[in-house]
Amino acid sequence: DAGVTQSPTHLIKTRGQQVTLRCSPKSGHDTVSWYQQALGQGPQFIFQYYEEEERQRGNFPDRFSGHQFPNYSSELNVNALLLGDSALYLCASSLGQGVYEQYFGPGTRLTVT
Amino acid sequence: AQKVTQAQTEISVVEKEDVTLDCVYETRDTTYYLFWYKQPPSGELVFLIRRNSFDEQNEISGRYSWNFQKSTSSFNFTITASQVVDSAVYFCALTLMNTGFQKLVFGTGTRLLVSP
């Protein structure tokens, strides 16, 4: 039973560039959430996707956007990268819209130079 | 707004010592869930426990135990007879029940170092 997978593992980008991160949820899960974890901090909620729609959004600018595909996998896009976007980006999956434990992937470490 | 505070930034213990990680939360809602996650150096958050606001019964799972007290808005985590493998960052998190989706609000984490 495959858990949550994310790609790539590490990424280095330059300020102003755009980046796409990918996530495949745990088998059987249909809900994907994205979190940003800055160094030494707890994860911060970016948004959640369910039924291919963004259901809720945290306090992040429109430069952060996402998408969910029919197979429930998801992408996180960040435009016009800033140095402050350097962080570990975590994807979590869960089943449905109830309060179930979220299963997290290993994350993508993004470094913006 | 919801908030989770983990005042202990880092704790160092020697193997076999007991250690308690503190978590204090803030919410005006009466229905919510509390979680603990473990983040080893690999980065992946590992689910440890979920408790709902209706159930204040303490829970024990092997060497792990949790003390939930609504009167003090605390959800503390104790590791008995700590082991080197327990070294990680531990996060406490909160989510509301009635929003129709699950947004976890995390604390800043407590780094636990267990030395042999």
Side-chain angles (χ1 to χ4, degrees):
Chain A
D1 180 19
V4 179
T5 60
Q6 293 185 244
S7 63
T9 305
H10 295 87
L11 204 52
I12 300 175
K13 289 287 189 177
T14 304
R15 274 180 300 176
Q17 286 188 318
Q18 178 265 344
V19 68
T20 297
L21 310 182
R22 296 176 175 82
C23 170
S24 291
K26 179 178 170 63
S27 178
H29 285 182
D30 57 7
T31 302
V32 173
S33 302
W34 287 92
Y35 292 81
Q36 180 196 66
Q37 185 179 16
L39 199 61
Q41 300 297 314
Q44 299 287 318
F45 176 80
I46 303 175
F47 41 52
Q48 183 179 82
Y49 277 85
Y50 173 67
E51 293 184 336
E52 301 180 48
E53 290 189 14
E54 183 183 294
R55 296 293 172 166
Q56 189 67 15
R57 188 179 186 90
N59 189 25
F60 280 81
D62 292 344
R63 298 186 298 108
F64 289 77
S65 63
H67 188 78
Q68 186 179 34
F69 299 93
N71 67 353
Y72 308 123
S73 65
S74 176
E75 288 182 350
L76 164 65
N77 301 293
V78 187
N79 295 322
L81 285 167
L82 304 174
L83 294 179
D85 295 332
S86 295
L88 179 68
Y89 288 85
L90 295 164
C91 170
S93 74
S94 56
L95 178 62
Q97 289 286 278
V99 183
Y100 304 101
E101 55 264 33
Q102 293 185 357
Y103 289 82
F104 284 80
T108 294
R109 173 73 64 188
L110 172 64
T111 302
V112 182
T113 63
Chain B
Q2 294 75 48
K3 184 179 179 182
V4 175
T5 301
Q6 295 179 257
Q8 304 153 307
T9 305
E10 185 170 307
I11 301 175
S12 293
V13 300
V14 177
E15 208 170 18
K16 298 184 182 178
E17 284 186 20
D18 298 347
V19 59
T20 295
L21 310 181
D22 298 333
C23 172
V24 174
Y25 62 93
E26 296 176 32
T27 179
R28 293 185 177 182
D29 281 67
T30 57
T31 55
Y32 50 87
Y33 280 94
L34 295 165
F35 299 78
W36 275 94
Y37 280 87
K38 173 183 180 179
Q39 188 174 43
S42 62
E44 187 169 339
L45 284 165
V46 177
F47 167 82
L48 295 178
I49 190 172
R50 177 188 66 187
R51 304 292 290 177
N52 70 59
S53 54
F54 300 122
D55 184 2
E56 285 191 74
Q57 187 174 5
N58 292 331
E59 182 159 338
I60 298 175
S61 176
R63 296 184 298 107
Y64 296 169
S65 62
W66 291 269
N67 184 301
F68 177 25
Q69 292 193 341
K70 289 177 71 172
S71 61
T72 56
S73 297
S74 66
F75 186 44
N76 296 337
F77 173 32
T78 297
I79 301 175
T80 303
S82 60
Q83 300 176 2
V84 173
V85 294
D86 294 327
S87 296
V89 181
Y90 291 85
F91 290 96
C92 181
L94 167 76
T95 192
L96 302 182
M97 283 188 191
N98 60 0
T99 59
F101 72 99
Q102 187 180 155
K103 166 190 172 182
L104 289 170
V105 175
F106 285 87
T108 51
T110 297
R111 180 177 300 277
L112 175 64
L113 300 173
V114 182
S115 55

